[in-house]
C-alpha cells in the first residue's frame, strides 16, 4: 500500500478527480471520510484552516488543492504520466480554466431546479438549510463559484459540443492516453452525470459519453478506510519531508522563516498561517506546529493562491 491518505467525501467532485487518478495509477491508499460541512475537527489540525475538499496527506506533509495533489501522485507513480511534455503552458491553462470556470458552470447546472426536485438530501429541510448556510459562509466575499443557470447552461452545452467534436479524432482529449485535462474535465462532468434527473443533458454527446465510460473504467484504486484520529497520529509520528530552500525569496521578496499566510484567491478565504518554507513559481510551502499533529508542512500550488507576510497585515 502507498502511504497516501486522502481526506475526502464520496459526493465531492474534486475528490473524484483524485480517486480516479489513483485508480488510473493502480494505487492502494487510505482514505478518511470528512464532513461535507464545517466543522471538520480532524482536518483542521492538519491544514491549519484550509477547508476545501479533498486534502492529501503523506505522513506530516499535507497537500491542499487537486492541482498539486495530481502533480505529487504523478511524481510518485511516473508510469503513464498525465503531464505531456511539450505543451506545459497550454495544458496548465486549459486545466485551470476547467477546474475554475467550467466547474462553476457545472455547479450551476447541478443545482438547477430540475436537478434538486428529486434529490433526497434537499428534501430534508434541516439538512438542506445547514448545507446552504455552510456554503454561503464558504463563498463569503467571492463571486467565483456562483452563476445563474440561464447564463451557465449555454456554456455547458457549448463545451460538451466542443469536447464531442474533439473526441472524434482521439480516444482522450490530448491523444491516445489520458492526461490531466481528461481528469479535470471528467470530475466536472461526473458532478452533473451523477444526478439522474439531469443525466439526459449528455444524450446528444455520444462521444463524450463513450469517453466518460472509458475514464470511469479506471475505477477508484484500492481504498482502505481510516479514522480521522489515526491520520492525526500518523502525522504526529512523522517528520515533514525536507524542502530545497533555493529560490524561496526570489519572487515574493520574502525570506524562508518569515511568518506568512496563504489563501486561495477564488473562494474559501480561510487563511493558513505559519513559517514560509518555500515560495517557488510552482509551489508554496508553509511549516506549522500544533499539539495534535506536531510539525507539519502544508503545500499549495502557486497558481490559485496568494502568500502575504503577516507583518504586512498588521
Ligand atoms: N481548487 C480546489 C477546489 C476544491 C473544491 O472546491 N472542493 C469543494 C468540494 S468538491 C469544496 O471544498 N467544497 C466545500 C467543502 O467541502 O467544505 C481543488 O482543486 O482542490
Amino acid at each position: 500500500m502507498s502511504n497516501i491518505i486522502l481526506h475526502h467525501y464520496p459526493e465531492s467532485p474534486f475528490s473524484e478527480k483524485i480517486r480516479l487518478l489513483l485508480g488510473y495509477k493502480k494505487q492502494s491508499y487510505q482514505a478518511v471520510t470528512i464532513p461535507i460541512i464545517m466543522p471538520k475537527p480532524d482536518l483542521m489540525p492538519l491544514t491549519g484552516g484550509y477547508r476545501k475538499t479533498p486534502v492529501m496527506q503523506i505522513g506530516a506533509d499535507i497537500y491542499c488543492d487537486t492541482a498539486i495533489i495530481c502533480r505529487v501522485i504523478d511524481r510518485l507513480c511516473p508510469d503513464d504520466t498525465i503531464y505531456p511534455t511539450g505543451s506545459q503552458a497550454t495544458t496548465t491553462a486549459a486545466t485551470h480554466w476547467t477546474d475554475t470556470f467550467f466547474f462553476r458552470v457545472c455547479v450551476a447546472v447541478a443545482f438547477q431546479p430540475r436537478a434538486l426536485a428529486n434529490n433526497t438530501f434537499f428534501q430534508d429541510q434541516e439538512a438542506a438549510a445547514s448545507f446552504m448556510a455552510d456554503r454561503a459562509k464558504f463563498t463569503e466575499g467571492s463571486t467565483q463559484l456562483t452563476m445563474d443557470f440561464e447564463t451557465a447552461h449555454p456554456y455547458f452545452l457549448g463545451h460538451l459540443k466542443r469536447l464531442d467534436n474533439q473526441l472524434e479524432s482521439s480516444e482522450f482529449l490530448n491523444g491516445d492516453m489520458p492526461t490531466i485535462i481528461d481528469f479535470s474535465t471528467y470530475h466536472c462532468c461526473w458532478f452533473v452525470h451523477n444526478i439522474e434527473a439531469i443525466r439526459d443533458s449528455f444524450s446528444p454527446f455520444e462521444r463524450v459519453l463513450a469517453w466518460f465510460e472509458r475514464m470511469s473504467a479506471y475505477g477508484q484504486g484500492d481504498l482502505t478506510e481510516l479514522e480521522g484520529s489515526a491520520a492525526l497520529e500518523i502525522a504526529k509520528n512523522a517528520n515533514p519531508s525536507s524542502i530545497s530552500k533555493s529560490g524561496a525569496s526570489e519572487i515574493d521578496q520574502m525570506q524562508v522563516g518569515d511568518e506568512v499566510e496563504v489563501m486561495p484567491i477564488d473562494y474559501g478565504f480561510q487563511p493558513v498561517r505559519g513559517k514560509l518554507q518555500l515560495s517557488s513559481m510552482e509551489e508554496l510551502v508553509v511549516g506549522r506546529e500544533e499539539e495534535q499533529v506536531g510539525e507539519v508542512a502544508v503545500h499549495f500550488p502557486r497558481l490559485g493562491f496568494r502568500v502575504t507576510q503577516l507583518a504586512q497585515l498588521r
Side-chain angles (χ1 to χ4, degrees):
M1 170 152 2
S2 72
N3 47 9
I4 292 173
I5 302 171
L6 183 67
H7 296 258
H8 74 148
Y9 52 83
E11 301 83 357
S12 151
F14 279 95
S15 302
E16 182 62 12
K17 177 187 184 184
I18 303 305
R19 292 185 294 252
L20 187 74
L21 179 59
L22 290 165
Y24 178 63
K25 297 283 187 178
K26 300 190 179 63
Q27 288 299 297
S28 302
Y29 59 101
Q30 294 181 292
V32 178
T33 303
I34 60 172
I36 294 182
I37 60 173
M38 293 296 272
K40 305 188 186 193
D42 290 336
L43 185 68
M44 290 306 109
L46 293 167
T47 65
Y50 179 87
R51 64 153 288 185
K52 290 186 186 178
T53 312
V55 166
M56 183 173 79
Q57 173 187 354
I58 298 181
D61 285 276
I62 312 301
Y63 298 91
C64 300
D65 196 288
T66 58
I68 191 161
I69 296 174
C70 289
R71 280 271 172 205
V72 172
I73 293 174
D74 198 69
R75 205 181 301 143
L76 293 172
C77 322
D79 286 351
D80 294 331
T81 178
I82 59 165
Y83 294 98
T85 45
S87 62
Q88 292 94 330
T90 48
T91 299
T92 303
T95 305
H96 189 65
W97 180 87
T98 303
D99 282 342
T100 53
F101 189 83
F102 188 55
F103 179 67
R104 184 175 164 196
V105 165
C106 289
V107 170
V109 172
F111 282 88
Q112 65 179 284
R114 189 160 74 92
L116 297 185
N118 294 319
N119 183 316
T120 45
F121 180 80
F122 284 94
Q123 306 303 311
D124 177 343
Q125 305 260 314
E126 209 178 306
S130 310
F131 178 81
M132 296 314 277
D134 176 81
R135 290 310 191 255
K137 206 153 192 306
F138 179 51
T139 54
E140 206 172 312
S142 164
T143 54
Q144 298 303 304
L145 194 56
T146 48
M147 193 184 289
D148 58 76
F149 173 64
E150 288 66 30
T151 306
H153 196 219
Y155 299 160
F156 178 72
L157 296 177
H159 196 51
L160 286 188
K161 181 80 193 135
R162 288 188 292 273
L163 291 168
D164 207 62
N165 289 343
Q166 188 168 329
L167 286 163
E168 191 174 6
S169 51
S170 59
E171 295 265 290
F172 297 98
L173 295 173
N174 223 342
D176 296 336
M177 298 290 283
T179 66
I180 183 65
I181 189 66
D182 291 282
F183 288 89
S184 283
T185 306
Y186 178 85
H187 82 79
C188 295
C189 291
W190 178 88
F191 194 34
V192 176
H193 192 270
N194 240 359
I195 305 168
E196 215 176 318
I198 55 168
R199 194 168 292 153
D200 58 3
S201 325
F202 289 90
S203 303
F205 310 108
E206 284 179 14
R207 283 184 289 262
V208 171
L209 282 169
W211 161 87
F212 190 85
E213 289 297 313
R214 275 197 291 284
M215 290 295 288
S216 59
Y218 291 121
Q220 305 199 328
D222 186 4
L223 178 161
T224 305
E225 292 282 348
L226 182 73
E227 289 295 323
S229 55
L232 297 179
E233 211 43 44
I234 288 172
K236 192 164 190 165
N237 293 326
N239 291 318
S241 59
S242 60
I243 287 157
S244 149
K245 309 247 174 0
S246 59
S249 59
E250 274 170 22
I251 308 166
D252 304 290
Q253 313 296 320
M254 292 180 197
Q255 303 298 325
V256 168
D258 282 359
E259 295 279 352
V260 296
E261 75 168 35
V262 175
M263 199 159 70
I265 59 167
D266 51 2
Y267 55 89
F269 300 137
Q270 283 80 28
V272 175
R273 293 184 169 182
K275 284 194 167 45
L276 187 69
Q277 292 187 347
L278 178 76
S279 73
S280 75
M281 207 69 96
E282 299 295 343
E283 185 172 353
L284 299 166
V285 184
V286 167
R288 31 182 311 282
E289 208 172 331
E290 188 165 331
E291 166 94 50
Q292 274 172 286
V293 293
E295 230 182 278
V296 291
V298 191
H299 305 243
F300 306 88
R302 164 70 72 162
L303 187 58
F305 287 81
R306 70 180 159 84
V307 56
T308 316
Q309 272 170 320
L310 286 191
Q312 284 177 13
L313 297 172
R314 287 185 191 121

